[in-house]
Amino acid sequence: CAPGVAAYADDHASLLVAIEHLTALEGDFWVKLRGAGLTYSYQIAASTDTQRISFVLFKCTDLLGAYAAAKKIVVEYAKGESAVTPVALDGAKATVAYSIISGASTRLGAAAAAWSTIYEGKKVDYATWLLDQVSKVTVSDVLHSLKKYIVPLFDPSANLAATCPTNKVELAKQGFEEMLGIEVRVMTEEQICCHPEQLAKDGHVATTATDDATDDATTDAGASSANADTDADADKQPAKATKTSKKLPTVTSTSGADTAPFAFARQFKCECPKCAVPAVPAL
């Protein structure tokens, strides 16, 4: 999971809209990932409780292809090669607004929402406040959140874990090493179950071999400290890697590239008014 936002953060609404724009029905991920037959499902989720954002690909028919395609979509928006149109923006905002309203559309839902605010540190009018924030989101706000929170998910400094059949583990390992330019560590399911802390301590990216020779694969990418949940079979409980240290991960480069934390994500510097550095007054 990459660093995310708190419940009342200024970027919360724009991040929700950015996620909806990418993952919407007939959106970019739907057409270029699911529609192309690369993966059965995908998800980008932002938790205000843990203040983290995560990206998951589930039951991939082409693990490397799905990851590369998702990264390409996000990078094209960050570079300005793809644009968020006003119509697409309004559609994403409407969907986010509906999801907020539908959570309290019944008496039971409204009561549950009111009860949960006690534990989440939210005010009773939180939904009203968030709806107002969503209505004010602009295209510039969406691109700001995409560059700041979503692009880091595909940085070589991000924690990434993938499970795949044993007959495909070497292909996945080589593919991620070539794609990310870093060393990939292979672990068996038994090693993760017996030594879960070892993945956080030694492995920056882990490709896990499973005994189930299925064609399905799963990847879960994130930046900073994270929980990596992976699954190679829909009917099988996913193996988990426990929470890592809060320290930034150490990257072992195999290509001589810049190994500074999130060097890739820093290429796409946001130049919106929110990120503008105020000029130093002349003395």
Side-chain angles (χ1 to χ4, degrees), residues 159-160 185 187 197-206 244 249-250:
N159 291 324
L160 182 146
R185 183 183 180 197
M187 297 182 67
E197 72 284 351
Q198 205 64 28
L199 181 63
K201 182 179 180 181
D202 300 329
H204 174 65
V205 178
T244 68
T250 301

Side-chain angles (χ1 to χ4, degrees), residues 5 16 30 62 87 92 100 102 107 131 139 144 149 161-162 185 189 219 222 233 244-245 257 266 276 283:
V5 296
L16 293 178
W30 176 277
D62 183 352
V87 174
I100 296 171
S102 63
R107 293 181 180 179
L131 283 170
V139 171
H144 163 79
Y149 301 104
R185 183 183 180 197
E189 189 173 358
T219 180
D233 191 322
T244 68
S245 168
R266 290 191 181 122
L283 299 177

Side-chain angles (χ1 to χ4, degrees), residues 25-36:
L25 183 67
E26 298 298 336
D28 290 277
F29 278 20
W30 176 277
V31 174
K32 298 178 182 179
L33 298 183
R34 183 184 173 106

Side-chain angles (χ1 to χ4, degrees), residues 63 160-164 168-170 172-173 176 184-188 205-209:
L63 174 62
L160 182 146
T163 61
C164 60
K168 293 184 178 180
V169 66
E170 284 302 319
K173 178 180 184 297
F176 278 120
V184 174
R185 183 183 180 197
V186 176
M187 297 182 67
T188 64
V205 178
T207 302
T208 306

